[in-house]
Amino acid sequence: MVSNIKKKVQSFQQWQLVVIVLLLNFLNNYIFAILAKHFSISLNKGFDDNYSFTEKIVLFIIIGPIIETLLFQYVVIEICKDQKMALKYCCLLSAFIFASLHLYNVFYFLYAFVTGLLFAYLYVAGKNEKDAILLPLVTHIIYNGIAFIGKTYFS
């Protein structure tokens, strides 16, 4: 069964993986938002009222994903690969570090860990170095953009 799933996932085009990861990340957000609400904990982090609207767009939608993709996917996973670690452990470490720097509360950490796993998976799913960086980067930018619009206009 696992090998059938693995073959199916490998047959997806890279843009299809981006869409799947975006949908999984929204599901991830929804699940942890329900859990956090049940325990009266907020998942609304990352917005600071000290920034202008334009600064928020640049920082949250563009700069943040670029820096995080380079640090948490490229650097961490490539160092792990150089140390001959199995890819699954590279992805787990990448996700753990990603989540650790999003440690606002336990639910946000868990949510960020799953998100980090999804981005790490996209990184290793890239067919070459350019795709490896672009897949999680574009997905992160799209996700943050949609989240920004939702929080700005629908909260």
Side-chain angles (χ1 to χ4, degrees):
M1 169 125 170
V2 172
S3 64
N4 289 339
I5 294 170
K6 190 174 183 179
K7 286 179 187 175
K8 181 65 176 169
V9 169
Q10 289 173 340
S11 72
F12 287 132
Q13 297 293 321
Q14 291 181 343
W15 67 269
Q16 291 171 314
L17 287 176
V18 168
V19 171
I20 290 167
V21 166
L22 279 169
L23 293 173
L24 288 172
N25 208 18
F26 282 112
L27 178 62
N28 173 42
N29 187 331
Y30 181 72
I31 290 168
F32 279 104
I34 289 171
L35 288 171
K37 186 175 181 178
H38 178 72
F39 290 99
S40 301
I41 297 173
S42 175
L43 285 184
N44 291 327
K45 297 294 179 194
F47 278 61
D48 189 338
D49 290 332
N50 295 327
Y51 294 110
S52 72
F53 181 79
T54 304
E55 289 171 329
K56 287 178 186 178
I57 289 174
V58 170
L59 291 172
F60 186 68
I61 299 174
I62 300 167
I63 303 288
I66 291 171
I67 291 170
E68 290 179 350
T69 299
L70 291 174
L71 287 177
F72 304 128
Q73 281 86 54
Y74 177 73
V75 171
V76 172
I77 293 172
E78 291 303 319
I79 288 172
C80 289
K81 284 168 50 179
D82 287 347
Q83 298 300 313
K84 309 292 188 232
M85 286 177 67
L87 280 178
K88 64 183 172 186
Y89 298 120
C90 297
C91 291
L92 287 169
L93 181 60
S94 170
F96 181 79
I97 294 171
F98 179 83
S100 296
L101 284 136
H102 292 86
L103 186 55
Y104 306 117
N105 60 56
V106 67
F107 289 108
Y108 205 93
F109 173 85
L110 294 171
Y111 155 73
F113 182 79
V114 173
T115 297
L117 278 177
L118 292 169
F119 290 157
Y121 173 76
L122 281 177
Y123 182 84
V124 299
K127 304 274 191 253
N128 56 52
E129 189 172 319
K130 178 183 163 195
D131 290 342
I133 292 170
L134 285 178
L135 286 173
L137 176 61
V138 168
T139 306
H140 199 159
I141 287 171
I142 293 169
Y143 182 80
N144 280 15
I146 293 169
F148 180 80
I149 290 167
K151 287 180 182 181
T152 302
Y153 296 107
F154 301 106
S155 285

